Amino acid sequence: MDGRAVAPAAGTVLNALATGTGSAFAIDLETTATVDLTDDGEIVGEIADQPDADATLIERCAELTIAEYADAAGLDDSDVGARVRTESEVPMAAGLKSSSAAANATVLATLDALAVADAVDRIDACRLGVRAARDAGVTATGAFDDASASMLGGVTVTDNTSDALLARDEVDWWALVYTPPEQAYSADADVSACERIAPMATLVEELALDGRYGEAMTVNGFAFSAALEFSTGPMIDAMPDVDGVSLSGTGPSYVAVGDREPLETVRDRWTDRDGTTRLLQTRTDGTRIR
């Protein structure tokens, strides 16, 4: 029995580190997971082209999914093993939710292998991946905001302290992503510094819940760039040509959204910087079986 699923990356509207409330939106970079079930009870993960990478997250995703749903598939979870493999367009430790995409793709691919994917609510599947991310120690907040955007598509606003979906909307943007050469791991972020800017995060939350996502992003970007000690230069390069621009996650990537033509102008500025710039579409569909 085998399964396969793809999950999109995401950009940030509101970083959840300050208050526990976060917001993100899906973008057109994908992670693919393939799961082959075995009868040896052993779960082994592999990340394509990265033989030394830590596969704990995807292994834990498969393990939790099997434990939760093997019985519904008519199997004894103690006997079910899995070989899990992910391959990804999403750069790791870049603030583009690579862990959430990998978790979502793995959970849905495992459900597909168990032949129960159609019977499982996508939010419940998302919560399994969030739980695995916490167990694996790859996130400071559980990243339900990032995971829900990747799983459902569109833009989501969530309470990460209770894994509650507060709002979801479909947006019609192009997204420009600038990724500097360095990496930044979410689990290493200075949480105390982020908590000190909670009043700004509360403002961003109000803007996002009012549907003013571009303004929310920009306020978030300036506040969290300061708290996490990232340059605001790329944001200033983008203004006022875009609907919104922010540091994505805990960095180092920046994401701007708006119409294609103005973003192409910003791309010309960002390509003068070291790193990689990508012009992408936002995604209103989320994680899906392939």
Side-chain angles (χ1 to χ4, degrees):
M1 302 170 71
D2 62 283
R4 184 178 174 89
V6 294
T12 294
V13 174
L14 168 59
N15 189 314
L17 283 176
T19 65
T21 299
S23 178
F25 59 95
I27 58 175
D28 195 21
L29 287 173
E30 290 186 337
T31 295
T32 301
T34 304
V35 175
D36 295 308
L37 298 184
T38 66
D39 59 5
D40 60 7
E42 185 179 11
I43 297 174
V44 179
E46 173 192 1
I47 299 172
D49 302 321
Q50 299 187 57
D52 298 325
D54 186 352
T56 301
L57 172 62
I58 59 174
E59 291 171 347
R60 184 62 174 154
C61 284
E63 180 183 15
L64 289 175
T65 306
I66 290 168
E68 188 76 16
Y69 292 105
D71 185 63
L75 301 171
D76 183 343
D77 66 279
S78 64
D79 295 331
V80 181
R83 302 294 179 267
V84 184
R85 186 176 191 271
T86 59
E87 50 188 316
S88 186
E89 303 170 337
V90 189
M92 295 179 66
L96 299 175
K97 329 307 183 186
S98 60
S99 294
S100 291
N104 283 342
T106 301
V107 169
L108 200 58
T110 306
L111 291 171
D112 184 34
L114 291 167
V116 297
D118 290 343
V120 178
D121 187 276
R122 288 294 188 264
I123 280 292
D124 290 336
C126 179
R127 290 189 177 107
L128 271 181
V130 168
R131 183 175 152 199
R134 289 177 178 138
D135 291 349
V138 298
T139 171
T141 66
F144 185 60
D145 50 341
D146 306 335
S148 63
S150 172
M151 181 62 80
L152 302 176
V155 57
T156 60
V157 184
T158 64
D159 181 347
N160 286 13
T161 63
S162 60
D163 292 344
L165 180 66
L166 303 178
R168 178 182 177 272
D169 196 6
E170 294 191 358
V171 290
D172 185 20
W173 289 326
W174 284 82
L176 184 68
V177 180
Y178 164 57
T179 305
E182 65 267 21
Q183 293 182 309
Y185 291 90
S186 298
D188 297 334
D190 187 344
V191 176
S192 63
C194 294
E195 288 173 342
R196 289 195 290 274
I197 60 168
M200 298 306 296
T202 299
L203 171 60
V204 175
E205 176 186 348
E206 292 171 358
L207 291 169
L209 288 173
D210 196 37
R212 297 164 65 183
Y213 305 118
E215 294 167 78
M217 283 180 69
T218 304
V219 175
N220 179 86
F222 280 109
F224 280 91
S225 291
L228 296 171
E229 299 184 352
F230 283 96
S231 172
T232 57
M235 295 184 58
I236 293 169
D237 285 347
M239 298 174 68
D241 297 304
V242 299
D243 292 349
V245 58
S246 183
L247 182 74
S248 193
T250 55
S253 294
Y254 299 79
V255 180
V257 297
D259 295 329
R260 177 167 186 154
E261 187 173 343
L263 288 176
E264 288 174 342
T265 300
V266 177
R267 179 176 60 184
D268 293 339
R269 299 174 195 147
W270 279 2
T271 52
D272 288 337
R273 296 177 175 272
D274 291 339
T276 304
T277 303
R278 303 172 180 86
L279 184 60
L280 307 164
Q281 288 185 291
T282 52
R283 288 273 293 270
T284 55
D285 63 334
T287 305
R288 64 197 189 280
I289 292 168
R290 173 176 285 178

